[in-house]
Amino acid sequence: MARPRTPLLSRERIVTAALALVDREGLAALSTRRLAGELSVSGPSLYNHFATKDELLDAVVDSVMGEVDLSMFRPPAPWRTALRDWARSYRSALAAHPNVVPVLAQGPGRRPNALRLADAVFGCLVEAGWPRGQATRIGALMRYFITGSALGSFAAGFPEDAALYTGEYPHLGEAHKLAEHRRRIDEGAFETGLEALLDGLELRYGRTVSPTGGDPA
């Protein structure tokens, strides 16, 4: 029997092509017709794997969540070290696929990898003695911080026009140089914020959690 000219469709192949399209052109470019063209198949054939565009988008977003390392949460993981390493891995995944961040910011929904991530973070904090309510809020806080850091570039937001800042903005005399050092500035800002956030949580931990295992309230 002759081989088919086009590789057989699979959920994995569809998701990979959809993510590549979103990475190149943004969420608005993702449509059944456009994706079918990318895969050289008919549009209806995609519905054998995904009933709706929203279902496909969930799978695309969840594939990005699957790139986040969760191994640091294996016990006996110190909660601060685990959160730091996870935050860096999470941001790295988002930095590789910034166009999916607006969807990720809406929460895990029914996405398996996203739910595993939430479970790992919450479980680590509770096992460390954090009260469940505070563990929930810390998980939310970390997600706000990480996704917010991936939504855009602080440094790239300053035009490279030195004349723009002359006179009226005396403290921004070097702002035109920021975009040139975008990666170093943005990564440095993330690391500064992450350490400050963890320092604050560690102070709160000392006030909240007893040496014998934590406040159950």
Side-chain angles (χ1 to χ4, degrees):
M1 180 182 294
R3 292 184 178 180
R5 294 180 180 178
T6 303
L8 295 176
L9 277 182
S10 65
R11 286 179 65 93
E12 182 180 1
R13 183 170 173 241
I14 293 169
V15 168
T16 298
L19 179 57
L21 177 59
V22 170
D23 283 344
R24 288 197 315 269
E25 301 181 34
L27 289 166
L30 183 62
S31 68
T32 301
R33 177 178 297 181
R34 179 67 188 281
L35 185 57
E38 294 280 324
L39 291 165
S40 300
V41 299
S42 64
S45 64
L46 298 178
Y47 292 113
N48 293 326
H49 300 274
F50 295 97
T52 66
K53 178 182 172 180
D54 286 342
E55 183 182 333
L56 170 59
L57 185 56
D58 268 351
V60 170
V61 172
D62 203 45
S63 71
V64 175
M65 289 292 88
E67 297 179 14
V68 181
D69 184 13
L70 300 179
S71 63
M72 67 286 295
F73 290 114
R74 294 176 188 144
W79 68 267
R80 175 174 177 142
T81 302
L83 284 186
R84 180 195 293 115
D85 292 346
W86 163 70
R88 289 170 175 165
S89 178
Y90 195 175
R91 183 177 183 271
S92 179
L94 299 190
H97 308 284
N99 289 334
V100 305
V101 174
V103 182
L104 282 170
Q106 298 171 9
R110 296 177 179 272
R111 303 171 195 133
N113 287 325
L115 289 170
R116 276 191 284 272
L117 185 154
D119 181 73
V121 174
F122 181 76
C124 174
L125 292 169
V126 171
E127 288 170 8
W130 285 98
R132 295 175 68 86
Q134 290 201 39
T136 299
R137 291 190 286 275
I138 292 168
L141 169 63
M142 295 297 293
R143 186 168 65 84
Y144 296 153
F145 172 69
I146 298 164
T147 56
S149 74
L151 280 173
S153 166
F154 172 82
F158 290 86
E160 299 181 44
D161 179 4
L164 174 66
Y165 309 99
T166 303
E168 191 170 354
Y169 308 104
H171 300 296
L172 298 180
E174 300 292 309
H176 64 285
K177 300 178 181 179
L178 292 177
E180 179 183 350
H181 305 287
R182 170 178 176 173
R183 181 172 180 177
R184 178 172 58 83
I185 292 169
D186 290 344
E187 290 184 357
F190 173 78
E191 289 294 329
T192 298
L194 178 60
E195 290 304 320
L197 191 156
L198 294 173
D199 285 346
L201 288 176
E202 192 154 33
L203 289 173
R204 189 177 187 89
Y205 184 79
R207 295 196 302 265
T208 304
V209 182
S210 72
T212 57
D215 180 355

